């Protein structure tokens, strides 16, 4: 399924359903929703208790009959009904009423580069359940490139890396299409898991579900490079006793634990460059890699890539919202020189 720019301009709203966050752009109104992709459900009655940030805060703190679910995994909708319920509550009555007034309501949605037909169908059915009569699908790589201002329509190479929660996508773009791309099943969640496992095995400490990100920030300075603080104090629960305990964690050891999953990302970048025509690789030597996505903000990640590839590495101004902003730009007609092929050839 491909969508032309003309088809996208006819859309009334766009949705970026990510594993970590859900974002909605309404034509003429801008970004109206930017919330965690989470919903809290009463398992006894099936009632939806909370969505978004409130549901996220409930993770790990609920009684047995309340369950916090995530209807999106790896950029794919895995629970269509729950995703629809979550979106309805996130949009609110006023926005939904305004959208329902549109004749033949049209929507656009991001999908991962290698999304199979079932994943594409799940995204379409989710938005059809919100009243959309037609749904256009756009490759996340194209949408993110447009959103961060890369000149994707020109006959020159641009390289983008979308760092998501569940996966990292890397691509070289030229003339509005994807020349070569790779999806690596390593994202921010894999980094979180590596930190949690390191603390469990080395310090017999279990972290609360909300505290992995603060630990990553504790590595700031240069994060993945060896110039940050030598140690940092971490609070958690003792594996054996279940009591609260604090430990001093060697940040160098944590950096080593983080580098293990990120090696797969470097391998993916290498494969993309090997599959890319030599003329385009020459362009990339000057322009480098543009990082977008929430996990692009991992302290020191960009420096690690610079050292490993020898190429310039840039982080977009607002990397977490580039994909939905790119959809919004196409909806508003902000890109016109070339008819893009949003899902690739």
């Amino acid at each position: 399924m491909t969508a032309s720019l003309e088809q996208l301009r006819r859309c009334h709203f766009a949705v970026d359903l990510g594993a970590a966050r859900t974002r909605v752009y309404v034509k003429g109104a801008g970004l109206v929703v930017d919330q965690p992709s989470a919903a809290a459900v009463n398992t006894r009655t099936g009632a939806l208790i909370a969505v978004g940030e409130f549901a996220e805060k409930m993770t790990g703190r609920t009684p047995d009959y309340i369950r916090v679910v995530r209807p999106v995994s790896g950029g794919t909708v895995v629970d269509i009904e729950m995703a629809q319920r979550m979106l309805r509550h996130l949009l609110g009555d006023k926005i939904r009423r305004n959208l329902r007034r549109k004749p033949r309501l049209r929507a656009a949605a991001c999908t991962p580069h290698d999304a199979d037909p079932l994943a594409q169908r799940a995204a379409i059915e989710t938005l059809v359940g919100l009243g959309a009569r037609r749904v256009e699908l756009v490759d996340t790589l194209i949408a993110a490139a447009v959103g961060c201002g890369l000149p994707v329509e020109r006959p020159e190479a641009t390289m983008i890396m979308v760092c998501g929660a569940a996966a990292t996508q890397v691509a070289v773009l030229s003339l509005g299409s994807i020349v070569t791309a790779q999806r690596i099943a390593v994202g921010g969640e894999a980094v979180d898991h590596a930190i949690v496992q390191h603390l469990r095995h080395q310090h017999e400490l279990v972290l609360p579900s909300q505290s992995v990100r603060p630990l990553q920030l504790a590595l700031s300075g240069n994060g993945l490079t060896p110039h940050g603080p030598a140690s940092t104090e971490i609070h958690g629960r003792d594996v054996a006793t279940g009591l609260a305990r604090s430990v001093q964690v060697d940040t160098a050891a944590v950096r080593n634990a983080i580098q293990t999953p990120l090696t797969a990302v470097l391998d993916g970048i290498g494969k993309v460059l090997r599959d890319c025509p030599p003329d385009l690789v020459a362009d990339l030597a000057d322009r480098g890699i543009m990082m977008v996505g929430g996990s692009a903000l991992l302290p020191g990640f960009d420096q690690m890539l610079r050292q490993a590839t020898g190429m310039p590495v840039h982080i977009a101004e607002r990397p977490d919202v580039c994909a939905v902003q790119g959809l919004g730009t196409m909806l508003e007609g902000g890109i016109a020189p070339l008819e893009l092929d949003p899902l690739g050839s």
Side-chain angles (χ1 to χ4, degrees):
M1 298 180 188
T2 59
S4 67
L5 282 172
E6 187 57 38
Q7 289 171 322
L8 289 170
R9 290 192 188 104
R10 295 175 188 167
C11 292
H12 301 99
F13 71 105
V15 178
D16 177 18
L17 273 170
R21 296 185 77 86
T22 292
R23 299 178 175 94
V24 181
Y25 185 103
V26 175
K27 193 172 185 177
L31 187 64
V32 297
V33 172
D34 185 359
Q35 295 277 339
S37 301
V41 183
N42 186 324
T43 57
R44 295 174 181 171
T45 64
L48 195 62
I49 296 173
V51 297
E53 288 183 3
F54 190 28
E56 180 95 334
K57 291 177 181 177
M58 295 170 67
T59 303
R61 301 172 181 270
T62 61
D64 291 341
Y65 65 92
I66 296 177
R67 187 165 57 100
V68 178
V69 297
R70 294 185 175 274
V72 184
S73 176
T76 301
V77 178
V78 294
D79 187 336
I80 294 174
E81 181 185 359
M82 187 56 65
Q84 290 172 349
R85 295 175 69 184
M86 180 184 73
L87 277 170
R88 287 192 194 101
H89 281 76
L90 289 175
L91 286 170
D93 293 336
K94 183 178 179 181
I95 296 175
R96 284 191 289 121
R97 279 198 304 268
N98 290 339
L99 289 176
R100 280 199 297 265
R101 294 193 186 105
K102 308 289 185 183
R104 295 191 61 81
L105 183 64
R106 290 172 176 249
C110 286
T111 56
H113 172 66
D114 60 351
D116 57 38
L118 286 177
Q120 295 181 10
R121 176 55 55 187
I124 291 171
E125 289 186 9
T126 299
L127 298 188
V128 167
L130 293 178
R133 300 288 296 275
R134 183 180 175 90
V135 179
E136 310 292 353
L137 299 181
V138 181
D139 195 296
T140 300
L141 290 163
I142 292 286
V146 172
C148 65
L150 290 178
V152 294
E153 72 279 2
R154 296 179 187 172
E156 55 193 36
T158 54
M159 189 170 189
I160 188 164
M161 184 166 74
V162 180
C163 309
T168 300
Q169 300 175 71
V170 185
V172 174
L173 312 175
S174 181
L175 287 171
S177 293
I178 295 172
V179 178
T180 180
Q182 280 288 313
R183 182 178 183 274
I184 307 107
V186 173
E189 292 175 353
V191 174
D192 292 348
H193 181 72
I195 294 174
V196 169
Q197 291 299 106
H198 170 77
L199 293 176
R200 187 181 186 96
H201 293 152
Q202 298 298 320
H203 299 278
E204 297 185 345
L205 194 74
V206 178
L207 285 181
S209 59
Q210 308 282 331
S211 63
V212 174
R213 294 296 177 183
L215 176 56
Q216 290 182 0
L217 295 178
L219 301 177
S220 59
N222 287 317
L224 303 179
T225 59
H227 305 298
S231 66
T232 186
E233 187 177 26
I234 300 298
H235 306 279
R237 189 186 70 190
D238 189 278
V239 171
T241 65
L243 299 176
R245 183 163 64 91
S246 298
V247 296
Q248 285 290 329
V249 176
D250 180 10
T251 54
V254 176
R255 283 194 294 269
N256 289 335
I258 291 175
Q259 294 219 22
T260 300
L262 295 183
T263 301
V265 176
L266 296 176
D267 292 341
I269 293 174
K271 187 173 190 316
V272 168
L273 292 173
R274 288 193 298 273
D275 293 343
C276 191
D279 289 346
L280 295 182
V281 174
D283 291 343
L284 296 175
D286 296 327
R287 296 186 181 88
I289 304 170
M290 177 65 76
M291 296 176 65
V292 303
S295 297
L297 298 172
L298 179 66
F301 192 10
D302 56 333
Q303 182 64 26
M304 175 186 171
L305 293 179
R306 286 190 196 98
Q307 293 174 352
T309 64
M311 297 168 58
V313 178
H314 315 281
I315 301 177
E317 186 175 349
R318 293 190 63 194
D320 51 336
V321 298
C322 283
V324 73
Q325 290 287 13
L327 285 177
T329 298
M330 289 186 271
L331 261 62
E332 304 282 4
I335 181 169
L338 188 70
E339 196 79 352
L340 299 182
D341 178 12
L343 283 179
S345 301

